[in-house]
Amino acid sequence: MSQKKSALSANNEQSFWFAKENLDNWYAQIMAVQARFEQEYRGEPLELPPEVKAMPIFHDFASGNLTAKIVSPFWEIAKPKKNKKCLDIGCGVSFLIYPWRDWQAFFYGQEISTIARDNLNKRGSLLNYKLFKKVELGPAHQLMYQANEFDLAIATGFSCYYPVDYWELVLEEVKRVLKSECHLVFDVINSEQPLAENWAILETYLGAEVFLEPLEKWEKIIKAKGGKIVKQQSGELFHMYKVRF
């Protein structure tokens, strides 16, 4: 763990620490996803072909109306509890937009976006120094936290950018950092939803390829990694799972 943290600080924010054996497998995909969201956080103009800009889903994206359709309300199936340690993986700016103060739960995060990480670490403690702990920079398959540390893990909004075999690694890492019998909430694209294909096209043009997989494949992976699905909830695009390990 100390080696990972020292490598992060020494890397001049160009990237984050990767285990050598995983560098070739996942580096390009993770960097593409990082670049896609860094561009959005910076508010840079989008260069898209006219046929993509003509799609109704792009108009929803440009107006901000798409967010309400695709957000996964993880708290509806696993509400963070008072004084419990929660890890939000791929957290974005979660602590600034969701009611963590109402939940009174301790917030820890991990992100691949340096902008989101820096923003949260700068503003989170000012918003609530008791609840906000820290956000680490790193990919989901290499969590910068100790084993058996958390009461709840959340990983929503980014499973679609990686193939299922990458998520086998993520689930192993989540199991490592969760306390026994605790839960993970994560979401996957329901490829049967009408919105799925057009959203995948839009995201690909925004810079991050989307992988569409049937729910049955995800559920098979969860079971193979020792997880038990205890609750599910469908949205317009994403399907949420509450998993106990």
Side-chain angles (χ1 to χ4, degrees):
M1 187 64 62
S2 61
Q3 289 180 328
K4 293 183 180 181
K5 290 183 177 179
S6 63
L8 280 170
S9 60
N11 207 343
N12 196 29
E13 303 301 336
Q14 181 179 3
S15 181
F16 33 70
W17 193 93
F18 286 92
K20 185 176 181 181
E21 64 269 21
N22 290 328
L23 182 63
D24 293 334
N25 291 341
W26 309 117
Y27 184 83
Q29 186 68 16
I30 292 170
M31 288 295 97
V33 177
Q34 183 194 51
R36 179 256 183 269
F37 283 99
E38 300 273 66
Q39 182 181 35
E40 183 173 324
Y41 287 132
R42 286 192 295 264
E44 295 178 352
L46 302 171
E47 297 182 4
L48 300 175
E51 59 268 25
V52 175
K53 291 184 177 181
M55 297 172 66
I57 195 170
F58 174 78
H59 295 295
D60 283 345
F61 170 78
S63 66
N65 294 330
L66 185 61
T67 301
K69 296 181 179 181
I70 66 175
V71 68
S72 289
F74 59 85
W75 54 90
E76 292 183 1
I77 63 173
K79 183 179 178 180
K81 296 180 179 180
K82 184 177 181 179
N83 295 333
K84 297 297 183 180
K85 297 176 69 173
C86 302
L87 173 62
D88 195 340
I89 306 165
C91 59
V93 292
S94 169
F95 192 76
L96 305 181
I97 59 178
Y98 295 136
W100 287 92
R101 287 181 295 180
D102 295 339
W103 298 329
Q104 292 293 297
F106 298 120
F107 178 92
Y108 296 77
Q110 182 151 317
E111 249 297 327
I112 60 171
S113 165
T114 57
I115 295 174
R117 189 279 309 268
D118 292 346
N119 195 0
L120 269 189
N121 280 335
K122 180 179 180 180
R123 299 175 59 190
S125 59
L126 297 176
L127 187 64
N128 193 306
Y129 72 93
K130 292 182 179 179
L131 299 179
F132 180 83
K133 297 305 178 181
K134 60 180 175 179
V135 178
E136 297 282 7
L137 187 71
H141 71 290
Q142 292 173 5
L143 299 177
M144 308 299 180
Y145 293 96
Q146 301 292 336
N148 306 310
E149 187 171 354
F150 296 101
D151 302 287
L152 175 67
I154 302 155
T156 58
F158 69 95
S159 65
C160 55
Y161 300 114
Y162 304 97
V164 171
D165 53 348
Y166 175 78
W167 273 83
E168 294 185 49
L169 301 177
V170 176
L171 292 178
E172 288 288 351
E173 272 291 84
V174 171
K175 284 173 60 178
R176 181 182 66 80
V177 302
L178 276 179
K179 297 175 183 177
S180 177
E181 296 296 305
C182 288
H183 296 98
L184 162 70
V185 177
F186 82 112
D187 61 6
V188 303
I189 289 183
N190 185 345
S191 58
E192 296 183 0
Q193 290 284 47
L195 193 62
E197 186 173 348
N198 285 339
W199 188 82
I201 292 171
L202 175 62
E203 283 295 306
T204 299
Y205 275 100
L206 291 175
E209 180 184 0
V210 167
F211 296 83
L212 296 177
E213 301 285 359
L215 297 183
E216 293 80 7
K217 189 170 184 178
W218 286 105
E219 292 166 7
K220 183 178 179 180
I221 291 295
I222 293 169
K223 184 177 180 180
K225 291 302 174 181
K228 180 180 180 181
I229 299 171
V230 296
K231 199 168 185 179
Q232 305 181 47
Q233 183 169 304
S234 291
E236 289 192 54
L237 179 62
F238 287 97
H239 187 86
M240 283 193 297
Y241 293 106
K242 180 180 180 180
V243 179
R244 183 174 65 240
F245 289 105

